[in-house]
Amino acid sequence: MDVAAVIPIPKETVKSKMPQPLSDEEIQEFVKSIDYNNDGYVAYKEVERKLDDVANEIDPVPKKHHLHHHERKASDRHNFLRSVLGTDKDRIPNDDFATKVRQWEIPSLQQEHQTDKEASDFLKHLSWSRKLRSWWSVEGPQVCFIGLVVAMQLAFGVWQLVKYLTTSPYTAGWGWGVVVAKTSAGVLYPTMFFLVLSMSRWFATFARHSYHLSQFVNWDRSQSFHIKISFVAMAFATLHVIGHLTGSFVFGSTASRQDVVTNVLGQEMSYSDYVASRPGWTGITAIACFYLIGLFSMPPVRQWSYEVFQLAHLLMFPMIAMLIVHGTRGIFQWPMLGYFLAFPTLLVLVERVRRVLLGLKKIPARLVVLDEETVEIT
């Protein structure tokens, strides 16, 4: 069906949207770039030199697998250059060569530049409200997802902050350290959930099939999200450790606070007792594994040996195990972190086990050497 027969379109509009050939200014600039000696003539050698310069700029040292044609003879190259020049003469005037170029009807770049300029001018004249609505229609759902993550972190963090700041037995027995540690733990609950979930390829593949989920989460940036939320998790995990090792363990081991400690825990506690307790040694082990994973995830390590980077990430399994056991004693409250880690950890664990089993399965393959640097596996 002819669109113009249904919707009347001005001929000027249709003509302006059709590809326009090179303008006289563009042709003259092109001819001038070939006329190296500026003698007013385009010579055979100058056309050959120009094509060689372009070829060297595109691919200075082409490999065998870059060339998708058989090696051509020197006569083929000569005939091609003669066809470009359009004559058997060694040189022709610039005006004659410009006429030859004009016959090629090469699309002009000015039209593309003009289109870009019109689009830029259109955006400049849009109102801020229109720009905001346009931006929100594209980025809004993803902003909502980030807002959900931050809102959950704030909600659990504020809940723990208010609970331990306003309840006298905790501050009276363990001072400011327990407030800092438990507030950080509250932020870590949703943070660790999203951190481990972002490592699941199965979940990302499943979510890509959902139109609505893909609107709210840009799965192409899951690695970037994983890196950023890892920094957040490491920061609050460090605060949690600082709150305990330099705060609550110190305050909770002083003689003046042992009455409160005994009422809550049922026994007096020294600093070494806190460190040797189940929450103490599991927490130290977990943060050590976390630091090692972060250390071996640095760009220099990944560039040096990607295998070391991958092997270091296997420490996440003992780290997660320590985090789940960390709160099972229920000293201050019932254990929560294990519930947040259960679902994403199960996904990642099943994926890794399946990957190992598939790696042990023999798959027949054919190896073909294309050249000294390239092989084809099918």
Side-chain angles (χ1 to χ4, degrees):
M1 179 181 293
D2 188 1
V3 177
V6 180
I7 304 176
I9 302 177
K11 294 182 178 180
E12 294 77 6
T13 304
V14 175
K15 183 178 180 180
S16 64
K17 296 301 181 181
M18 294 179 63
Q20 301 297 319
L22 290 174
S23 63
D24 292 339
E25 292 78 9
E26 289 176 307
I27 294 176
Q28 291 300 327
E29 183 179 356
F30 172 67
V31 174
K32 185 177 180 180
S33 67
I34 297 179
D35 186 10
Y36 287 95
N37 55 11
N38 295 322
D39 61 350
Y41 290 86
V42 174
Y44 175 91
K45 293 293 184 182
E46 290 175 328
V47 175
E48 183 178 34
R49 177 182 173 183
K50 186 65 175 180
L51 292 176
D52 288 339
D53 291 343
V54 173
N56 291 331
E57 183 178 352
I58 295 175
D59 196 347
V61 186
K63 306 296 183 183
K64 292 182 180 179
H65 58 276
H66 292 162
L67 304 176
H68 303 286
H69 56 77
H70 298 291
E71 186 176 355
R72 294 184 173 90
K73 300 178 181 179
S75 59
D76 295 334
R77 173 186 173 94
H78 174 76
N79 293 333
F80 172 73
L81 292 174
R82 281 298 179 189
S83 67
V84 173
L85 201 59
T87 180
D88 292 334
K89 299 178 181 179
D90 288 338
R91 63 174 189 169
I92 60 175
N94 288 354
D95 293 339
D96 293 347
F97 186 70
T99 302
K100 179 68 176 178
V101 173
R102 193 173 290 108
Q103 295 174 356
W104 295 342
E105 296 185 353
I106 301 174
S108 173
L109 291 177
Q110 290 183 354
Q111 185 179 17
E112 182 178 350
H113 296 162
Q114 180 64 26
T115 303
D116 293 341
K117 184 177 182 301
E118 291 175 357
S120 177
D121 292 340
F122 175 76
L123 291 176
K124 288 180 181 179
H125 290 85
L126 283 178
S127 63
W128 284 105
S129 60
R130 177 71 180 277
K131 291 180 181 179
L132 182 61
R133 292 199 307 272
S134 301
W135 176 84
W136 183 259
S137 64
V138 177
E139 303 290 344
Q142 297 177 28
V143 173
C144 290
F145 169 72
I146 299 299
L148 172 66
V149 175
V150 175
M152 291 180 65
Q153 292 173 326
L154 290 175
F156 283 95
V158 171
W159 167 50
Q160 294 286 279
L161 172 64
V162 173
K163 175 181 178 180
Y164 287 92
L165 192 61
T166 58
T167 306
S168 58
Y170 302 123
T171 54
W174 293 272
W176 62 267
V178 70
V179 178
V180 173
K182 298 306 291 183
T183 301
S184 302
V187 177
L188 284 172
Y189 294 151
T191 303
M192 295 303 299
F193 170 81
F194 288 109
L195 172 62
V196 180
L197 187 63
S198 63
M199 299 175 62
S200 174
R201 297 180 182 180
W202 284 1
F203 185 80
T205 303
F206 166 77
R208 285 178 188 273
H209 290 82
S210 171
Y211 171 77
H212 298 289
L213 279 178
S214 297
Q215 269 195 317
F216 281 88
V217 183
N218 186 353
W219 300 105
D220 294 331
R221 301 183 64 180
S222 59
Q223 182 181 8
S224 175
F225 174 79
H226 176 76
I227 294 173
K228 290 181 175 63
I229 203 167
S230 296
F231 280 111
V232 175
M234 186 167 290
F236 282 98
T238 303
L239 282 176
H240 180 79
V241 172
I242 291 174
H244 279 314
L245 294 182
T246 65
S248 61
F249 288 5
V250 175
F251 284 96
S253 59
T254 57
S256 60
R257 299 175 185 259
Q258 290 304 310
D259 293 339
V260 180
V261 172
T262 303
N263 291 334
V264 177
L265 303 183
Q267 66 180 52
E268 294 185 356
M269 298 284 289
S270 64
Y271 193 92
S272 59
D273 291 333
Y274 286 112
V275 174
S277 64
R278 188 191 309 165
W281 67 266
T282 55
I284 294 174
T285 305
I287 194 66
C289 292
F290 203 2
Y291 281 145
L292 286 175
I293 294 174
L295 178 64
F296 287 107
S297 299
M298 300 290 287
V301 178
R302 295 204 308 269
Q303 295 172 4
W304 169 64
S305 176
Y306 196 80
E307 289 75 14
V308 172
F309 159 72
Q310 289 184 315
L311 290 173
H313 262 64
L314 294 178
L315 290 172
M316 68 178 175
F317 293 112
M319 182 190 78
I320 293 174
M322 293 297 103
L323 291 176
I324 293 175
V325 176
H326 182 64
T328 54
R329 188 177 174 184
I331 295 179
F332 295 126
Q333 66 182 20
W334 55 278
M336 295 182 58
L337 188 56
Y339 294 98
F340 283 90
L341 292 175
F343 172 69
T345 301
L346 180 62
L347 278 179
V348 175
L349 182 61
V350 173
E351 288 180 30
R352 297 302 190 272
V353 172
R354 180 178 180 273
R355 191 180 305 173
V356 171
L357 295 178
L358 290 178
L360 299 175
K361 181 181 178 181
K362 293 183 179 181
I363 301 176
R366 185 170 65 94
L367 180 68
V368 178
V369 179
L370 300 180
D371 56 51
E372 58 185 9
E373 296 183 356
T374 311
V375 296
E376 179 184 17
I377 300 177
T378 55

PDB file of all heavy atoms in Angstrom, residues 15-45:
ATOM      1  N   LYS A  15      10.844  14.995  -0.249  1.00  0.00           N
ATOM      2  CA  LYS A  15      12.140  15.254  -0.887  1.00  0.00           C
ATOM      3  C   LYS A  15      13.221  15.531   0.130  1.00  0.00           C
ATOM      4  O   LYS A  15      14.367  15.093   0.009  1.00  0.00           O
ATOM      5  CB  LYS A  15      11.994  16.430  -1.855  1.00  0.00           C
ATOM      6  CG  LYS A  15      13.280  16.723  -2.636  1.00  0.00           C
ATOM      7  CD  LYS A  15      13.052  17.849  -3.613  1.00  0.00           C
ATOM      8  CE  LYS A  15      14.331  18.153  -4.390  1.00  0.00           C
ATOM      9  NZ  LYS A  15      14.129  19.264  -5.349  1.00  0.00           N
ATOM     10  N   SER A  16      12.855  16.265   1.223  1.00  0.00           N
ATOM     11  CA  SER A  16      13.850  16.613   2.234  1.00  0.00           C
ATOM     12  C   SER A  16      14.284  15.402   3.038  1.00  0.00           C
ATOM     13  O   SER A  16      15.392  15.367   3.571  1.00  0.00           O
ATOM     14  CB  SER A  16      13.284  17.689   3.169  1.00  0.00           C
ATOM     15  OG  SER A  16      12.171  17.183   3.878  1.00  0.00           O
ATOM     16  N   LYS A  17      13.404  14.376   3.133  1.00  0.00           N
ATOM     17  CA  LYS A  17      13.746  13.188   3.910  1.00  0.00           C
ATOM     18  C   LYS A  17      14.513  12.154   3.083  1.00  0.00           C
ATOM     19  O   LYS A  17      15.084  11.230   3.633  1.00  0.00           O
ATOM     20  CB  LYS A  17      12.467  12.554   4.470  1.00  0.00           C
ATOM     21  CG  LYS A  17      11.719  13.443   5.454  1.00  0.00           C
ATOM     22  CD  LYS A  17      12.591  13.819   6.655  1.00  0.00           C
ATOM     23  CE  LYS A  17      11.813  14.687   7.637  1.00  0.00           C
ATOM     24  NZ  LYS A  17      12.656  15.086   8.786  1.00  0.00           N
ATOM     25  N   MET A  18      14.470  12.285   1.742  1.00  0.00           N
ATOM     26  CA  MET A  18      15.194  11.337   0.910  1.00  0.00           C
ATOM     27  C   MET A  18      16.690  11.643   0.952  1.00  0.00           C
ATOM     28  O   MET A  18      17.095  12.793   1.145  1.00  0.00           O
ATOM     29  CB  MET A  18      14.682  11.421  -0.536  1.00  0.00           C
ATOM     30  CG  MET A  18      13.242  10.958  -0.713  1.00  0.00           C
ATOM     31  SD  MET A  18      12.688  11.106  -2.408  1.00  0.00           S
ATOM     32  CE  MET A  18      13.797   9.985  -3.231  1.00  0.00           C
ATOM     33  N   PRO A  19      17.536  10.604   0.793  1.00  0.00           N
ATOM     34  CA  PRO A  19      18.986  10.835   0.833  1.00  0.00           C
ATOM     35  C   PRO A  19      19.411  11.809  -0.256  1.00  0.00           C
ATOM     36  O   PRO A  19      19.056  11.662  -1.429  1.00  0.00           O
ATOM     37  CB  PRO A  19      19.563   9.435   0.596  1.00  0.00           C
ATOM     38  CG  PRO A  19      18.464   8.488   0.969  1.00  0.00           C
ATOM     39  CD  PRO A  19      17.192   9.191   0.639  1.00  0.00           C
ATOM     40  N   GLN A  20      20.182  12.797   0.128  1.00  0.00           N
ATOM     41  CA  GLN A  20      20.690  13.793  -0.797  1.00  0.00           C
ATOM     42  C   GLN A  20      22.143  13.474  -1.141  1.00  0.00           C
ATOM     43  O   GLN A  20      22.903  13.049  -0.285  1.00  0.00           O
ATOM     44  CB  GLN A  20      20.590  15.195  -0.180  1.00  0.00           C
ATOM     45  CG  GLN A  20      19.179  15.616   0.199  1.00  0.00           C
ATOM     46  CD  GLN A  20      18.261  15.703  -1.003  1.00  0.00           C
ATOM     47  OE1 GLN A  20      18.664  16.188  -2.075  1.00  0.00           O
ATOM     48  NE2 GLN A  20      17.023  15.233  -0.848  1.00  0.00           N
ATOM     49  N   PRO A  21      22.544  13.670  -2.415  1.00  0.00           N
ATOM     50  CA  PRO A  21      23.934  13.388  -2.787  1.00  0.00           C
ATOM     51  C   PRO A  21      24.891  14.423  -2.198  1.00  0.00           C
ATOM     52  O   PRO A  21      24.468  15.440  -1.631  1.00  0.00           O
ATOM     53  CB  PRO A  21      23.906  13.455  -4.312  1.00  0.00           C
ATOM     54  CG  PRO A  21      22.762  14.380  -4.627  1.00  0.00           C
ATOM     55  CD  PRO A  21      21.731  14.128  -3.551  1.00  0.00           C
ATOM     56  N   LEU A  22      26.170  14.146  -2.368  1.00  0.00           N
ATOM     57  CA  LEU A  22      27.194  15.066  -1.862  1.00  0.00           C
ATOM     58  C   LEU A  22      27.016  16.446  -2.465  1.00  0.00           C
ATOM     59  O   LEU A  22      26.727  16.593  -3.670  1.00  0.00           O
ATOM     60  CB  LEU A  22      28.586  14.544  -2.212  1.00  0.00           C
ATOM     61  CG  LEU A  22      29.069  13.281  -1.477  1.00  0.00           C
ATOM     62  CD1 LEU A  22      30.398  12.821  -2.058  1.00  0.00           C
ATOM     63  CD2 LEU A  22      29.220  13.542   0.009  1.00  0.00           C
ATOM     64  N   SER A  23      27.168  17.453  -1.630  1.00  0.00           N
ATOM     65  CA  SER A  23      27.085  18.821  -2.123  1.00  0.00           C
ATOM     66  C   SER A  23      28.378  19.187  -2.852  1.00  0.00           C
ATOM     67  O   SER A  23      29.392  18.481  -2.774  1.00  0.00           O
ATOM     68  CB  SER A  23      26.850  19.784  -0.959  1.00  0.00           C
ATOM     69  OG  SER A  23      27.955  19.756  -0.067  1.00  0.00           O
ATOM     70  N   ASP A  24      28.339  20.302  -3.580  1.00  0.00           N
ATOM     71  CA  ASP A  24      29.536  20.747  -4.300  1.00  0.00           C
ATOM     72  C   ASP A  24      30.682  21.027  -3.338  1.00  0.00           C
ATOM     73  O   ASP A  24      31.851  20.734  -3.653  1.00  0.00           O
ATOM     74  CB  ASP A  24      29.208  22.006  -5.109  1.00  0.00           C
ATOM     75  CG  ASP A  24      28.240  21.712  -6.260  1.00  0.00           C
ATOM     76  OD1 ASP A  24      28.157  20.524  -6.652  1.00  0.00           O
ATOM     77  OD2 ASP A  24      27.578  22.650  -6.736  1.00  0.00           O
ATOM     78  N   GLU A  25      30.365  21.565  -2.161  1.00  0.00           N
ATOM     79  CA  GLU A  25      31.428  21.844  -1.188  1.00  0.00           C
ATOM     80  C   GLU A  25      32.080  20.557  -0.703  1.00  0.00           C
ATOM     81  O   GLU A  25      33.310  20.476  -0.564  1.00  0.00           O
ATOM     82  CB  GLU A  25      30.857  22.626   0.000  1.00  0.00           C
ATOM     83  CG  GLU A  25      30.406  24.044  -0.315  1.00  0.00           C
ATOM     84  CD  GLU A  25      29.044  24.070  -1.005  1.00  0.00           C
ATOM     85  OE1 GLU A  25      28.382  22.996  -1.069  1.00  0.00           O
ATOM     86  OE2 GLU A  25      28.643  25.146  -1.494  1.00  0.00           O
ATOM     87  N   GLU A  26      31.268  19.531  -0.448  1.00  0.00           N
ATOM     88  CA  GLU A  26      31.815  18.254   0.012  1.00  0.00           C
ATOM     89  C   GLU A  26      32.663  17.594  -1.071  1.00  0.00           C
ATOM     90  O   GLU A  26      33.718  17.007  -0.786  1.00  0.00           O
ATOM     91  CB  GLU A  26      30.670  17.322   0.435  1.00  0.00           C
ATOM     92  CG  GLU A  26      29.971  17.745   1.716  1.00  0.00           C
ATOM     93  CD  GLU A  26      28.787  16.861   2.033  1.00  0.00           C
ATOM     94  OE1 GLU A  26      27.920  16.694   1.157  1.00  0.00           O
ATOM     95  OE2 GLU A  26      28.731  16.332   3.164  1.00  0.00           O
ATOM     96  N   ILE A  27      32.210  17.694  -2.321  1.00  0.00           N
ATOM     97  CA  ILE A  27      32.978  17.103  -3.419  1.00  0.00           C
ATOM     98  C   ILE A  27      34.308  17.815  -3.593  1.00  0.00           C
ATOM     99  O   ILE A  27      35.358  17.175  -3.766  1.00  0.00           O
ATOM    100  CB  ILE A  27      32.154  17.143  -4.723  1.00  0.00           C
ATOM    101  CG1 ILE A  27      30.928  16.219  -4.601  1.00  0.00           C
ATOM    102  CG2 ILE A  27      33.013  16.742  -5.915  1.00  0.00           C
ATOM    103  CD1 ILE A  27      30.005  16.272  -5.805  1.00  0.00           C
ATOM    104  N   GLN A  28      34.285  19.137  -3.525  1.00  0.00           N
ATOM    105  CA  GLN A  28      35.529  19.893  -3.676  1.00  0.00           C
ATOM    106  C   GLN A  28      36.503  19.581  -2.536  1.00  0.00           C
ATOM    107  O   GLN A  28      37.716  19.473  -2.749  1.00  0.00           O
ATOM    108  CB  GLN A  28      35.220  21.395  -3.709  1.00  0.00           C
ATOM    109  CG  GLN A  28      34.487  21.854  -4.961  1.00  0.00           C
ATOM    110  CD  GLN A  28      35.270  21.581  -6.236  1.00  0.00           C
ATOM    111  OE1 GLN A  28      36.508  21.627  -6.250  1.00  0.00           O
ATOM    112  NE2 GLN A  28      34.549  21.268  -7.329  1.00  0.00           N
ATOM    113  N   GLU A  29      35.965  19.418  -1.336  1.00  0.00           N
ATOM    114  CA  GLU A  29      36.825  19.067  -0.202  1.00  0.00           C
ATOM    115  C   GLU A  29      37.433  17.679  -0.384  1.00  0.00           C
ATOM    116  O   GLU A  29      38.612  17.459  -0.078  1.00  0.00           O
ATOM    117  CB  GLU A  29      36.002  19.123   1.089  1.00  0.00           C
ATOM    118  CG  GLU A  29      36.813  18.846   2.352  1.00  0.00           C
ATOM    119  CD  GLU A  29      35.965  18.924   3.600  1.00  0.00           C
ATOM    120  OE1 GLU A  29      34.764  19.265   3.489  1.00  0.00           O
ATOM    121  OE2 GLU A  29      36.509  18.624   4.693  1.00  0.00           O
ATOM    122  N   PHE A  30      36.635  16.747  -0.918  1.00  0.00           N
ATOM    123  CA  PHE A  30      37.134  15.394  -1.157  1.00  0.00           C
ATOM    124  C   PHE A  30      38.223  15.395  -2.244  1.00  0.00           C
ATOM    125  O   PHE A  30      39.266  14.752  -2.099  1.00  0.00           O
ATOM    126  CB  PHE A  30      35.970  14.492  -1.567  1.00  0.00           C
ATOM    127  CG  PHE A  30      36.373  13.125  -2.016  1.00  0.00           C
ATOM    128  CD1 PHE A  30      36.930  12.224  -1.122  1.00  0.00           C
ATOM    129  CD2 PHE A  30      36.208  12.735  -3.345  1.00  0.00           C
ATOM    130  CE1 PHE A  30      37.309  10.949  -1.529  1.00  0.00           C
ATOM    131  CE2 PHE A  30      36.586  11.466  -3.758  1.00  0.00           C
ATOM    132  CZ  PHE A  30      37.141  10.576  -2.852  1.00  0.00           C
ATOM    133  N   VAL A  31      37.966  16.114  -3.342  1.00  0.00           N
ATOM    134  CA  VAL A  31      38.959  16.186  -4.427  1.00  0.00           C
ATOM    135  C   VAL A  31      40.243  16.841  -3.929  1.00  0.00           C
ATOM    136  O   VAL A  31      41.351  16.394  -4.266  1.00  0.00           O
ATOM    137  CB  VAL A  31      38.363  16.953  -5.625  1.00  0.00           C
ATOM    138  CG1 VAL A  31      39.429  17.178  -6.698  1.00  0.00           C
ATOM    139  CG2 VAL A  31      37.177  16.203  -6.212  1.00  0.00           C
ATOM    140  N   LYS A  32      40.109  17.868  -3.122  1.00  0.00           N
ATOM    141  CA  LYS A  32      41.291  18.560  -2.608  1.00  0.00           C
ATOM    142  C   LYS A  32      42.114  17.650  -1.712  1.00  0.00           C
ATOM    143  O   LYS A  32      43.350  17.733  -1.673  1.00  0.00           O
ATOM    144  CB  LYS A  32      40.852  19.806  -1.840  1.00  0.00           C
ATOM    145  CG  LYS A  32      42.010  20.674  -1.367  1.00  0.00           C
ATOM    146  CD  LYS A  32      41.501  21.923  -0.667  1.00  0.00           C
ATOM    147  CE  LYS A  32      42.675  22.778  -0.188  1.00  0.00           C
ATOM    148  NZ  LYS A  32      42.187  24.006   0.512  1.00  0.00           N
ATOM    149  N   SER A  33      41.445  16.745  -0.960  1.00  0.00           N
ATOM    150  CA  SER A  33      42.185  15.827  -0.087  1.00  0.00           C
ATOM    151  C   SER A  33      42.971  14.794  -0.882  1.00  0.00           C
ATOM    152  O   SER A  33      43.961  14.243  -0.391  1.00  0.00           O
ATOM    153  CB  SER A  33      41.214  15.115   0.859  1.00  0.00           C
ATOM    154  OG  SER A  33      40.364  14.237   0.138  1.00  0.00           O
ATOM    155  N   ILE A  34      42.546  14.514  -2.148  1.00  0.00           N
ATOM    156  CA  ILE A  34      43.271  13.564  -2.994  1.00  0.00           C
ATOM    157  C   ILE A  34      44.417  14.248  -3.733  1.00  0.00           C
ATOM    158  O   ILE A  34      45.472  13.643  -3.965  1.00  0.00           O
ATOM    159  CB  ILE A  34      42.298  12.890  -3.986  1.00  0.00           C
ATOM    160  CG1 ILE A  34      41.251  12.080  -3.223  1.00  0.00           C
ATOM    161  CG2 ILE A  34      43.041  11.987  -4.965  1.00  0.00           C
ATOM    162  CD1 ILE A  34      40.240  11.389  -4.119  1.00  0.00           C
ATOM    163  N   ASP A  35      44.225  15.491  -4.088  1.00  0.00           N
ATOM    164  CA  ASP A  35      45.263  16.234  -4.815  1.00  0.00           C
ATOM    165  C   ASP A  35      46.362  16.645  -3.836  1.00  0.00           C
ATOM    166  O   ASP A  35      46.398  17.770  -3.342  1.00  0.00           O
ATOM    167  CB  ASP A  35      44.629  17.454  -5.486  1.00  0.00           C
ATOM    168  CG  ASP A  35      45.619  18.198  -6.381  1.00  0.00           C
ATOM    169  OD1 ASP A  35      46.727  17.656  -6.620  1.00  0.00           O
ATOM    170  OD2 ASP A  35      45.288  19.317  -6.813  1.00  0.00           O
ATOM    171  N   TYR A  36      47.279  15.709  -3.560  1.00  0.00           N
ATOM    172  CA  TYR A  36      48.294  15.932  -2.534  1.00  0.00           C
ATOM    173  C   TYR A  36      49.250  17.082  -2.889  1.00  0.00           C
ATOM    174  O   TYR A  36      49.666  17.846  -2.019  1.00  0.00           O
ATOM    175  CB  TYR A  36      49.099  14.645  -2.307  1.00  0.00           C
ATOM    176  CG  TYR A  36      48.334  13.575  -1.569  1.00  0.00           C
ATOM    177  CD1 TYR A  36      47.665  12.575  -2.253  1.00  0.00           C
ATOM    178  CD2 TYR A  36      48.269  13.570  -0.168  1.00  0.00           C
ATOM    179  CE1 TYR A  36      46.951  11.592  -1.579  1.00  0.00           C
ATOM    180  CE2 TYR A  36      47.565  12.593   0.510  1.00  0.00           C
ATOM    181  CZ  TYR A  36      46.917  11.602  -0.198  1.00  0.00           C
ATOM    182  OH  TYR A  36      46.219  10.634   0.473  1.00  0.00           O
ATOM    183  N   ASN A  37      49.640  17.183  -4.164  1.00  0.00           N
ATOM    184  CA  ASN A  37      50.628  18.208  -4.546  1.00  0.00           C
ATOM    185  C   ASN A  37      49.991  19.525  -4.979  1.00  0.00           C
ATOM    186  O   ASN A  37      50.694  20.464  -5.381  1.00  0.00           O
ATOM    187  CB  ASN A  37      51.522  17.699  -5.672  1.00  0.00           C
ATOM    188  CG  ASN A  37      50.729  17.221  -6.881  1.00  0.00           C
ATOM    189  OD1 ASN A  37      49.510  17.442  -6.975  1.00  0.00           O
ATOM    190  ND2 ASN A  37      51.411  16.563  -7.812  1.00  0.00           N
ATOM    191  N   ASN A  38      48.642  19.609  -4.905  1.00  0.00           N
ATOM    192  CA  ASN A  38      47.920  20.858  -5.194  1.00  0.00           C
ATOM    193  C   ASN A  38      48.276  21.430  -6.568  1.00  0.00           C
ATOM    194  O   ASN A  38      48.441  22.649  -6.727  1.00  0.00           O
ATOM    195  CB  ASN A  38      48.196  21.913  -4.113  1.00  0.00           C
ATOM    196  CG  ASN A  38      47.665  21.503  -2.755  1.00  0.00           C
ATOM    197  OD1 ASN A  38      46.591  20.910  -2.654  1.00  0.00           O
ATOM    198  ND2 ASN A  38      48.433  21.793  -1.709  1.00  0.00           N
ATOM    199  N   ASP A  39      48.378  20.559  -7.580  1.00  0.00           N
ATOM    200  CA  ASP A  39      48.701  21.047  -8.929  1.00  0.00           C
ATOM    201  C   ASP A  39      47.456  21.180  -9.797  1.00  0.00           C
ATOM    202  O   ASP A  39      47.555  21.494 -10.984  1.00  0.00           O
ATOM    203  CB  ASP A  39      49.704  20.103  -9.610  1.00  0.00           C
ATOM    204  CG  ASP A  39      49.148  18.692  -9.778  1.00  0.00           C
ATOM    205  OD1 ASP A  39      48.071  18.404  -9.202  1.00  0.00           O
ATOM    206  OD2 ASP A  39      49.793  17.877 -10.476  1.00  0.00           O
ATOM    207  N   GLY A  40      46.268  20.958  -9.220  1.00  0.00           N
ATOM    208  CA  GLY A  40      45.034  21.086  -9.979  1.00  0.00           C
ATOM    209  C   GLY A  40      44.642  19.844 -10.737  1.00  0.00           C
ATOM    210  O   GLY A  40      43.661  19.858 -11.489  1.00  0.00           O
ATOM    211  N   TYR A  41      45.391  18.745 -10.538  1.00  0.00           N
ATOM    212  CA  TYR A  41      45.100  17.496 -11.214  1.00  0.00           C
ATOM    213  C   TYR A  41      45.049  16.361 -10.182  1.00  0.00           C
ATOM    214  O   TYR A  41      45.767  16.376  -9.183  1.00  0.00           O
ATOM    215  CB  TYR A  41      46.170  17.167 -12.262  1.00  0.00           C
ATOM    216  CG  TYR A  41      46.149  18.074 -13.471  1.00  0.00           C
ATOM    217  CD1 TYR A  41      46.834  19.285 -13.473  1.00  0.00           C
ATOM    218  CD2 TYR A  41      45.438  17.712 -14.610  1.00  0.00           C
ATOM    219  CE1 TYR A  41      46.827  20.119 -14.576  1.00  0.00           C
ATOM    220  CE2 TYR A  41      45.418  18.545 -15.737  1.00  0.00           C
ATOM    221  CZ  TYR A  41      46.109  19.733 -15.712  1.00  0.00           C
ATOM    222  OH  TYR A  41      46.091  20.558 -16.806  1.00  0.00           O
ATOM    223  N   VAL A  42      44.189  15.370 -10.475  1.00  0.00           N
ATOM    224  CA  VAL A  42      44.132  14.151  -9.675  1.00  0.00           C
ATOM    225  C   VAL A  42      44.844  13.063 -10.462  1.00  0.00           C
ATOM    226  O   VAL A  42      44.392  12.677 -11.552  1.00  0.00           O
ATOM    227  CB  VAL A  42      42.679  13.740  -9.376  1.00  0.00           C
ATOM    228  CG1 VAL A  42      42.642  12.390  -8.662  1.00  0.00           C
ATOM    229  CG2 VAL A  42      41.992  14.794  -8.519  1.00  0.00           C
ATOM    230  N   ALA A  43      45.967  12.563  -9.920  1.00  0.00           N
ATOM    231  CA  ALA A  43      46.775  11.579 -10.623  1.00  0.00           C
ATOM    232  C   ALA A  43      46.461  10.171 -10.144  1.00  0.00           C
ATOM    233  O   ALA A  43      45.909   9.958  -9.063  1.00  0.00           O
ATOM    234  CB  ALA A  43      48.267  11.893 -10.438  1.00  0.00           C
ATOM    235  N   TYR A  44      46.817   9.208 -10.975  1.00  0.00           N
ATOM    236  CA  TYR A  44      46.628   7.788 -10.652  1.00  0.00           C
ATOM    237  C   TYR A  44      47.309   7.450  -9.327  1.00  0.00           C
ATOM    238  O   TYR A  44      46.734   6.769  -8.470  1.00  0.00           O
ATOM    239  CB  TYR A  44      47.188   6.945 -11.788  1.00  0.00           C
ATOM    240  CG  TYR A  44      47.168   5.457 -11.540  1.00  0.00           C
ATOM    241  CD1 TYR A  44      46.081   4.687 -11.918  1.00  0.00           C
ATOM    242  CD2 TYR A  44      48.242   4.818 -10.928  1.00  0.00           C
ATOM    243  CE1 TYR A  44      46.056   3.315 -11.699  1.00  0.00           C
ATOM    244  CE2 TYR A  44      48.234   3.446 -10.692  1.00  0.00           C
ATOM    245  CZ  TYR A  44      47.143   2.707 -11.073  1.00  0.00           C
ATOM    246  OH  TYR A  44      47.121   1.358 -10.847  1.00  0.00           O
ATOM    247  N   LYS A  45      48.546   7.918  -9.154  1.00  0.00           N
ATOM    248  CA  LYS A  45      49.304   7.632  -7.941  1.00  0.00           C
ATOM    249  C   LYS A  45      48.653   8.245  -6.710  1.00  0.00           C
ATOM    250  O   LYS A  45      48.710   7.686  -5.613  1.00  0.00           O
ATOM    251  CB  LYS A  45      50.736   8.156  -8.078  1.00  0.00           C
ATOM    252  CG  LYS A  45      51.572   7.434  -9.121  1.00  0.00           C
ATOM    253  CD  LYS A  45      51.823   5.997  -8.694  1.00  0.00           C
ATOM    254  CE  LYS A  45      52.740   5.284  -9.680  1.00  0.00           C
ATOM    255  NZ  LYS A  45      52.965   3.860  -9.294  1.00  0.00           N
TER     256      LYS A  45
END
